[in-house]
Amino acid sequence: MFEELRGKSPEGVRYMTWRSGNGTFVHLVETETDGHADLITGLAAFQAFQSGIRDRCVDPPHRDVMTVVGHYRMLDEYPE
């Protein structure tokens, strides 16, 4: 997905994924407007990732809407 995002370079969206030591994945999507979330879910790579996801998960995926309260350098641009 990251390769496809870099290739398309959509404006108004940021995406990050974490994986914990127990195999739990957390995906963070930051968008400028509500409609920008479709820039992630509309990717061919995202749709391929979603295919059969319930078979790979102990608990089903869920979505929460969150608001940034504060951060220290977490959302700044850093070179890769």
Side-chain angles (χ1 to χ4, degrees):
M1 284 188 356
F2 292 102
E3 185 175 321
E4 187 173 355
L5 278 170
R6 286 183 188 99
K8 293 187 175 190
S9 193
E11 292 294 323
V13 65
R14 292 177 181 225
Y15 179 72
M16 184 184 314
T17 305
W18 291 280
R19 181 177 182 184
S20 72
N22 69 3
T24 298
F25 286 87
V26 175
H27 301 260
L28 176 66
V29 180
E30 180 187 25
T31 61
E32 289 179 8
T33 65
D34 290 339
H36 282 115
D38 295 341
L39 295 171
I40 299 292
T41 59
L43 295 173
F46 182 84
Q47 293 170 6
F49 171 74
Q50 290 290 303
S51 178
I53 195 166
R54 294 198 184 277
D55 298 332
R56 300 189 309 264
C57 296
V58 174
D59 296 316
H62 67 276
R63 179 184 286 185
D64 290 323
V65 175
M66 303 174 80
T67 302
V68 175
V69 176
H71 72 90
Y72 177 75
R73 295 186 178 176
M74 289 297 294
L75 303 176
D76 297 338
E77 285 292 323
Y78 286 97
E80 293 187 25

